[in-house]
């Protein structure tokens, strides 16, 4: 195997290592993650969802991010035994829907279609593809501008930049989307940990592949670009669905 192949293999191994290590549920967060999140696309401002199968009707904790609304219930709310009935109300009308069967302790996600009043397990189709593509494109644009400001001009340098970032940022964003939680506060921790692997992979690969500048100069670029990308990634998580 030549030098290029070995380096690409190393990046892929680091990416798979990141996904395997970080895929385990993290229970050390300072705040309890939601037990159940009901995802609604473009929810009306007056939409409310309450758990009515218990003696105490619990209103969902609501968070809206871009075109999505998250209606969260916590373990203290989930007191019914195996069957949960919810009531959704909007525009003066209401309807009920039910979740049957055992739930996981945390991060159960269902999608509610208001037009059909149907609840389905998991997230809506192509959601992950859409969100990964958006975040990957924004990251490439941001780091591409920094790459240009560092006076990288050669075609080979740009091809290396694209190849390495598609692997590292692609793995990172796919992994972020594979987690159960939809709440940005919990995903920030995952982003910080995941960026450590991205830092490592890019600071190894870029100086090996790029010959346009000195290795020390390339390392400075890789550090600054990934630091800015980490900060921007935290902001993106706060304003776009994940």
């Amino acid at each position: 195997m030549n030098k290029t192949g070995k380096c690409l293999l190393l990046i892929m191994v680091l990416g798979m290592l990141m996904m395997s290590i970080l895929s385990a549920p993290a229970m050390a967060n300072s705040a309890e993650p939601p037990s159940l999140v009901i995802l609604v696309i473009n929810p009306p401002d007056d939409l409310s969802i309450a758990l009515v199968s218990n003696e105490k009707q619990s209103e969902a904790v609501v968070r809206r991010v871009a075109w999505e609304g998250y209606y969260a219930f916590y373990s203290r709310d989930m007191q019914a035994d195996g069957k949960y009935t919810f009531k959704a109300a909007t525009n003066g009308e209401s309807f009920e829907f039910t979740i049957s069967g055992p739930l996981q302790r945390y991060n159960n996600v269902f999608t509610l279609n208001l037009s059909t009043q149907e609840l389905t397990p998991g997230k809506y189709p192509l959601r992950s593809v859409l969100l990964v593509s958006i975040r990957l494109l924004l990251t490439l644009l941001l780091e591409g501008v920094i790459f240009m400001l560092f006076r990288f001009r050669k075609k080979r340098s740009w091809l290396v930049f694209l190849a390495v970032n598609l692997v590292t940022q692609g793995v990172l964003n796919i992994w972020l989307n594979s987690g159960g939680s939809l709440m940005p506060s919990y995903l920030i921790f995952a982003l910080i940990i995941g960026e450590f692997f991205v830092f490592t992979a890019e600071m190894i690969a870029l100086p090996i592949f790029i010959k346009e500048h000195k290795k020390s100069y390339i390392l400075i670029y890789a550090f600054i670009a990934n630091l800015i990308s980490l900060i921007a990634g935290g902001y993106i998580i706060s304003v776009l669905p994940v």
Side-chain angles (χ1 to χ4, degrees):
M1 184 181 295
N2 59 26
K3 190 176 182 180
T4 299
K6 289 180 179 179
C7 196
L8 286 175
L9 179 61
L10 176 61
I11 296 172
M12 293 177 67
V13 169
L14 285 171
M16 289 186 289
L17 181 63
M18 180 185 80
M19 295 184 73
S20 63
I21 291 176
L22 300 180
S23 59
M27 302 298 293
N29 292 339
S30 59
E32 177 191 14
S35 179
L36 170 69
V37 176
I38 298 174
L39 190 160
V40 183
I41 304 173
N42 294 320
D45 291 337
D46 66 343
L47 175 64
S48 65
I49 300 178
L51 176 62
V52 297
S53 56
N54 297 329
E55 293 182 0
K56 178 183 178 182
Q57 295 190 13
S58 303
E59 288 277 346
V61 176
V62 183
R63 178 180 176 84
R64 290 181 171 85
V65 179
W67 61 89
E68 292 184 351
Y70 311 131
Y71 296 76
F73 296 89
Y74 292 81
S75 58
R76 60 181 179 271
D77 305 316
M78 313 298 287
Q79 299 172 358
D81 185 16
K83 185 175 181 180
Y84 302 94
T85 301
F86 299 86
K87 181 178 180 181
T90 180
N91 196 27
E93 300 179 351
S94 64
F95 63 91
E96 292 188 352
F97 55 93
T98 301
I99 296 177
S100 301
L103 298 176
Q104 299 177 12
R105 185 177 181 184
Y106 296 122
N107 297 328
N108 299 277
V109 178
F110 289 78
T111 298
L112 176 63
N113 187 322
L114 288 178
S115 60
T116 62
Q117 300 183 0
E118 292 181 351
L119 187 75
T120 55
K123 304 162 190 175
Y124 53 87
L126 299 180
R127 179 182 185 273
S128 293
V129 174
L130 173 64
L131 297 180
V132 168
S133 299
I134 290 174
R135 290 200 305 272
L136 184 56
L137 178 60
L138 290 174
T139 301
L140 287 174
L141 287 173
L142 174 62
E143 294 198 15
V145 170
I146 301 170
F147 198 69
M148 184 174 60
L149 292 175
F150 269 75
R151 303 191 309 276
F152 290 97
R153 300 289 185 265
K154 292 183 179 180
K155 181 179 179 181
R156 173 186 169 86
S157 299
W158 279 93
L159 290 175
V160 170
F161 163 81
L162 288 173
V164 171
N165 275 277
L166 283 173
V167 173
T168 57
Q169 296 296 334
V171 169
L172 173 63
N173 283 285
I174 290 171
W175 174 74
L176 287 174
N177 256 78
S178 68
S181 179
L182 296 176
M183 300 302 182
S185 56
Y186 302 102
L187 289 165
I188 290 294
F189 296 106
L191 175 66
I192 293 172
I193 297 172
E195 278 288 354
F196 169 78
F197 290 88
V198 174
F199 266 73
T200 303
E202 293 193 7
M203 293 186 76
I204 291 173
L206 294 179
I208 293 175
F209 284 152
I210 296 177
K211 309 298 182 182
E212 189 172 353
H213 297 291
K214 293 181 179 180
K215 292 184 183 297
S216 58
Y217 186 81
I218 298 171
L219 285 172
I220 293 172
Y221 157 75
F223 179 82
I224 292 176
N226 280 284
L227 180 61
I228 295 175
S229 180
L230 172 61
I231 297 171
Y235 175 74
I236 291 172
I237 282 178
S238 69
V239 297
L240 286 179
V242 180

